Amino acid sequence: MAITEQYTSSECLICERTNPPGAMLCSACGAPMSLIEEAAIQQRSPRIITILGESNVGKTVYLGFLLDMLSKRAGGFEAIPKGAYSVNLQQSVISHMNARQFPPKTPLEVDHWKWAYYQVRHYDAHADEWFDLLLPDMAGEALAQEIETPQTYKAITGLLAKSAGALVLIDAAVAASGSPHPDYFALKLMSYVDRQFATKRGGKARNPIAIVLCKADYCPECFDNPRAFAETNLNRLWNICQSRFANVEFFAASTVGSLGFAHDEDDNVVPVPLHAAPRGILEPFEWILDRIRAMPAK
Amino acid sequence: MALRLFQRKPHTRGPVSGGVRTAQAFVPAPVEKLASDPLHALCQQERYNVIIQRRREWAEHPDGERLCREAAVRLESRMALVPAGRVTLAQTVVDAPGAPEVDVEVEPFLLDIHAVTNAQYQRFVDAGAYEDFDLWPRAIWPHLIHMRDQTGKPGPRYWRDGRHDQKLAMHPVVGISWYEAAAYARWIGQRLPTEAEWQMAATWRIKSETDLLRRFPWGDAMDRTRCNIWASGIGHTVPVDAYPEGAAPNGVLQLVGNVWEWVDGDLNLTTTEGKPIVAEMDIKATRGGAFDTYFESQATGLFRTGHIALARLHNIGFRCALSIGDAPWLREAV
């Protein structure tokens, strides 16, 4: 079905459910219908890059800095937000971090997630191609539920089914401390992604996947050699990536330059980002875009 | 002896290495042969204030008087006088109008014009300073074994085989903890500036009838062409003599940008509710922002932050200071 027909029939871009005209959100998956409007204006379906990761791994902050850097034309990128709603996420992240606070947790409800629709171009000598990118900021708890019980969140299922690639965020600081938890979560997550991406039994998934080792400022050796860090500290993840994914790379990233802690009004210990020093934010995105460039648009 | 106070020495902007630095091959700095004569060795190591402090030892030395005089000239040329003044230190993480602040009086002192370079720090490493326990507080002795470079040799985190990359000889040394910075300062007969002193040097709130200060060494508005921060688009350190347009009135360079600078003192900030900011170990104050500082509001002469004392990061360096009382050559000059 042509994208313009999809718009008139209000078919959701994510889960393909037909919605009544004038609907704001998809009745099945909760994705905003304004995405379809944007896609119709562009006369092409956007390529979706999904950002996956556990709760508190820093998906929102990573995505906020990524979008902000893109809109500042960092790293030879040019990015244009399509619609004011696309700017809300980066505005929220940057405003909070500038005030030395982390942004609020992404709500569990799909209709409260922030979505960013950007046109992005990397103006290097080899390419002058614009990408329509859809970058949703999903709640980590929702992803965890979806992994345990697939189809709980149709938005996630639909997103992954339509994704050209994925950025998988892993908490390197917790992994470096010796906890097996990030490795187990990553193993479950990659098993789930494998099921969504794999084309046939025995075949490796070809969609590019960038494994981003977050909070790497806590373990600087992660920046020295992300692959070696993953093989040592996230061995289960490393093994499934080698076995099941043909197009995977490891990166280290951090956004906070220094972290303190304080008690809040309810005497809970809360982290305080003393200042921001984003590092390794663009590299995984650039890598994944290069890989997607070689793939035909869906 | 002319003191560098309001005069600005013309600087030539140092070469800014382009491209991605990690893609370039590591070129180990050559080993410098040290003179057997202790006074000449101190000169080679640029430990000028040590030479002056120990000048009675050189009374019989044939070059003693000349080298002491030369050491004073060299020291005077690499440091600048920061006048007496008053600084206001924010006490909360969000320094909003009306938030608690503390006023601190600052005595005049001398501050290095440049951050300590890799080439300068190389002499400290070559002198075996990591094995000289007198330079280190006893509490840090068990941690000295971890203060190694990429190849396991004593030295800054990003060096190899105890050598810095020759291409980065004039870049600020990074990958050193607060303790390494303090030990180096002690080794050359100087000290780290206090947080108040650093802020005084960057904001110039001198004692006068008018209560004037500047947010940046060059004035009151951020200018990304005068410093190396994230928005400058360079993405790594530059030589310590780059950005002459960003100098303070006394010629001190790069107080804002390029690398955060370790200063002497713990970071004592609270939340707006007055709850102290803590970490798993002591947080030492760092000032000035670095090449990767994203928010311009966090790269000013007033912004207070810190890092844990053992952090050996790619974006923290330091510079040294000297009290007027510890600079007899300066007292004589004054």
Side-chain angles (χ1 to χ4, degrees), chain B residues 28-199:
Chain B
V31 178
E32 193 179 23
K33 193 171 183 309
L34 209 58
S36 54
D37 176 80
L39 179 55
H40 285 281
L42 286 171
C43 283
Q44 260 182 286
Q45 291 171 327
E46 299 187 0
R47 298 168 70 188
Y48 300 125
N49 206 44
V50 174
I51 293 172
I52 297 165
Q53 285 168 343
R54 290 163 53 184
R55 63 189 176 284
R56 285 197 181 85
E57 287 179 37
W58 323 120
E60 304 298 318
H61 194 287
D63 293 327
E65 196 181 327
R66 180 180 65 82
L67 289 177
C68 279
R69 218 171 30 243
E70 199 174 302
V73 171
R74 291 278 175 87
L75 203 49
E76 191 266 333
S77 71
R78 60 198 293 168
M79 301 194 86
L81 182 67
V82 179
R86 192 173 78 248
V87 298
T88 302
L89 298 175
Q91 297 297 294
T92 54
V93 282
V94 180
D95 186 22
E101 295 174 331
V102 168
D103 282 345
V104 180
E105 298 287 331
V106 178
E107 294 297 314
F109 70 103
L110 293 156
L111 185 65
D112 280 355
I113 291 168
H114 303 121
V116 174
T117 64
N118 280 304
Q120 289 173 318
Y121 199 84
Q122 182 73 67
R123 299 182 183 111
F124 174 70
V125 174
D126 290 348
Y130 280 81
E131 284 86 41
D132 182 356
F133 285 174
D134 289 345
L135 291 169
W136 308 84
R138 182 177 289 268
I140 208 66
W141 288 359
H143 299 278
L144 278 174
I145 197 163
H146 299 299
M147 293 180 185
R148 305 279 158 158
D149 67 16
Q150 298 284 296
T151 59
K153 298 277 172 56
R157 179 173 160 67
Y158 301 99
W159 290 17
R160 293 183 198 166
D161 287 319
R163 316 304 305 163
H164 69 272
D165 187 341
Q166 198 174 0
K167 298 187 297 299
L168 306 178
M170 286 302 290
H171 287 233
V173 62
V174 295
I176 38 102
S177 66
W178 181 87
Y179 294 101
E180 289 162 282
Y184 175 89
R186 201 170 298 124
W187 183 73
I188 61 161
Q190 295 180 221
R191 62 176 173 80
L192 295 179
T194 66
E195 208 181 348
E197 285 174 337
W198 188 97
Q199 184 165 317

Side-chain angles (χ1 to χ4, degrees), chain A residues 65 68-69 72 74 93-94 97-101 217-218 220-221 224 257-265 267 272-279 282, chain B residues 92-94 150 157-158 230 260 267 269 271 273 275-280 283 286 292-295 297-298 303-308 312-315:
Chain A
F65 270 106
D68 204 55
M69 286 179 171
K72 285 181 167 182
V93 169
I94 297 304
M97 294 295 285
N98 196 26
R100 302 171 123 180
Q101 294 171 349
D217 50 315
Y218 263 79
E221 64 275 16
D224 298 340
S258 183
L259 192 67
F261 296 89
H263 289 271
D264 67 8
E265 288 167 337
D267 223 26
V272 180
L274 292 174
H275 59 263
R279 189 179 179 194
L282 285 171
Chain B
T92 54
V93 282
V94 180
Q150 298 284 296
R157 179 173 160 67
Y158 301 99
W230 188 91
W260 291 101
L267 181 72
L269 282 179
T271 63
E273 292 80 31
K275 303 286 176 68
I277 304 289
V278 295
E280 64 259 41
I283 308 179
T286 47
D292 56 356
T293 297
Y294 194 75
F295 299 121
S297 61
Q298 297 182 350
F303 182 76
R304 297 186 69 203
T305 188
H307 293 81
I308 56 172
R312 308 177 83 224
L313 300 182
H314 62 298
N315 60 358

Side-chain angles (χ1 to χ4, degrees), chain A residues 36-223:
Chain A
I36 301 163
E37 189 180 340
E38 287 297 336
I41 292 167
Q42 302 307 319
Q43 292 287 302
R44 59 192 174 208
S45 295
R47 285 186 248 200
I48 298 170
I49 296 178
T50 309
I51 298 189
L52 304 166
E54 202 172 358
S55 177
N56 283 327
V57 76
K59 294 183 295 299
T60 304
V61 173
Y62 176 88
L63 185 53
F65 270 106
L66 174 64
L67 295 175
D68 204 55
M69 286 179 171
L70 290 176
S71 58
K72 285 181 167 182
R73 296 192 171 187
F77 282 102
E78 186 177 354
I80 302 165
K82 308 307 288 184
Y85 67 91
S86 293
V87 183
N88 289 341
L89 171 66
Q90 76 187 74
Q91 185 182 8
S92 168
V93 169
I94 297 304
S95 301
H96 279 88
M97 294 295 285
N98 196 26
R100 302 171 123 180
Q101 294 171 349
F102 284 108
K105 280 184 74 65
T106 305
L108 205 56
E109 299 80 18
V110 180
D111 55 334
H112 285 86
W113 294 355
K114 291 189 174 79
W115 301 67
Y117 192 139
Y118 266 78
Q119 280 193 319
V120 179
R121 177 172 73 132
H122 194 224
Y123 45 96
D124 57 23
H126 307 292
D128 190 23
E129 184 185 356
W130 284 94
F131 290 91
D132 290 281
L133 291 177
L134 184 57
L135 298 149
D137 179 34
M138 62 176 72
E141 287 89 346
L143 179 63
Q145 284 183 30
E146 171 66 17
I147 291 170
E148 294 292 342
T149 317
Q151 302 288 334
T152 306
Y153 282 84
K154 288 190 166 43
I156 298 176
T157 322
L159 270 169
L160 269 174
K162 302 233 167 185
S163 284
L167 288 155
V168 175
L169 273 56
I170 308 290
D171 194 324
V174 176
S177 72
S179 167
H181 181 79
D183 200 14
Y184 277 120
F185 185 86
L187 183 63
K188 286 183 189 176
L189 175 58
M190 295 308 284
S191 167
Y192 173 81
V193 172
D194 181 27
R195 200 165 71 177
Q196 305 297 323
F197 277 2
T199 50
K200 59 182 177 184
R201 184 174 295 180
K204 288 186 178 182
R206 300 209 58 81
N207 299 47
I209 295 177
I211 308 285
V212 185
L213 306 170
C214 292
K215 304 177 188 174
D217 50 315
Y218 263 79
C219 37
E221 64 275 16
C222 198
F223 277 111

Side-chain angles (χ1 to χ4, degrees), chain B residues 209-224:
Chain B
E209 288 175 3
T210 51
D211 196 19
L212 299 176
L213 80 156
R214 42 180 67 198
R215 293 182 68 223
F216 304 94
W218 58 82
D220 211 31
M222 168 49 84
D223 182 347
R224 65 188 68 167

